[in-house]
């Protein structure tokens, strides 16, 4: 009994950690959790300190206007944190979010506008339409397809 009394306190943190680290399942990856994953990415576009919170899959990819610009979750997270292009962006203003467009439960579509500033002056806006592939089996971002345009500031 004394051995059990010493083991139980040591096992509780290990069991708790394992339960939190378990991958999402289709039952636990709700549309709300998918939205939270995409929202974390959007938030990191305007605040570099939030890059570590973006739930990328290890093999995540990103395409901008058809050109592949992201090759792994770690690289995408590092770009959000350190890349010059993200340092000149203000917080995006989301104008629309669609869960499961066309019935695809692993897809979300966001439309947002990114104000771009250089030397404190707003120089352009970047209206963006992004599709996020976030499988219900993991709730991790595996692919982002961005269609970006540039317009005068509004």
């Amino acid at each position: 009994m004394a051995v059990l009394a010493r083991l139980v306190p040591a096992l509780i943190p290990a069991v708790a950690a394992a339960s939190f680290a378990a991958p999402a399942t289709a039952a636990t990856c709700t549309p709300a959790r998918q939205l939270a994953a995409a929202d974390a990415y959007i938030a990191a576009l305007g605040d570099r300190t939030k890059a570590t919170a973006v739930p990328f899959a290890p093999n995540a990819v990103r395409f901008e206007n058809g050109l592949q610009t992201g090759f792994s979750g770690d690289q995408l997270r590092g770009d959000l944190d350190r890349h010059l292009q993200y340092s000149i962006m203000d917080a995006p203003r989301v104008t629309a979010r669609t869960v499961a467009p066309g019935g695809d439960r692993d897809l979300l579509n966001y439309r947002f506008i990114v104000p771009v500033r250089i030397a404190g002056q707003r120089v352009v806006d970047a209206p963006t339409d992004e599709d996020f592939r976030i499988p219900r089996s993991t709730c991790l971002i595996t692919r982002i397809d961005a269609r970006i345009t540039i317009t005068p500031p509004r």
Side-chain angles (χ1 to χ4, degrees), residues 4 11 24 34 38 51 55-56 63 108 113 118 120 130 137 141:
L4 186 57
L11 288 175
Q34 288 174 303
F56 287 116
F63 292 83
L108 289 86
I113 298 170
I118 297 178
E130 284 193 350
S137 60
I141 299 169

Side-chain angles (χ1 to χ4, degrees), residues 44-107:
L45 289 175
D47 183 348
R48 301 176 110 167
T49 65
K50 296 181 178 180
T52 58
V54 181
F56 287 116
N59 61 342
V61 294
R62 182 168 197 270
F63 292 83
E64 293 180 22
N65 296 337
L67 178 67
Q68 188 169 359
T69 58
F71 300 88
S72 74
D74 285 341
Q75 180 246 319
L76 287 163
R77 199 173 290 107
D79 284 356
L80 285 170
D81 184 37
R82 297 180 298 277
H83 202 277
L84 177 63
Q85 77 184 46
Y86 298 108
S87 69
I88 61 173
M89 295 179 179
D90 281 349
R93 182 173 51 89
V94 175
T95 58
R97 300 186 310 174
T98 306
V99 176
D104 185 342
R105 293 171 29 122
D106 292 342
L107 192 64

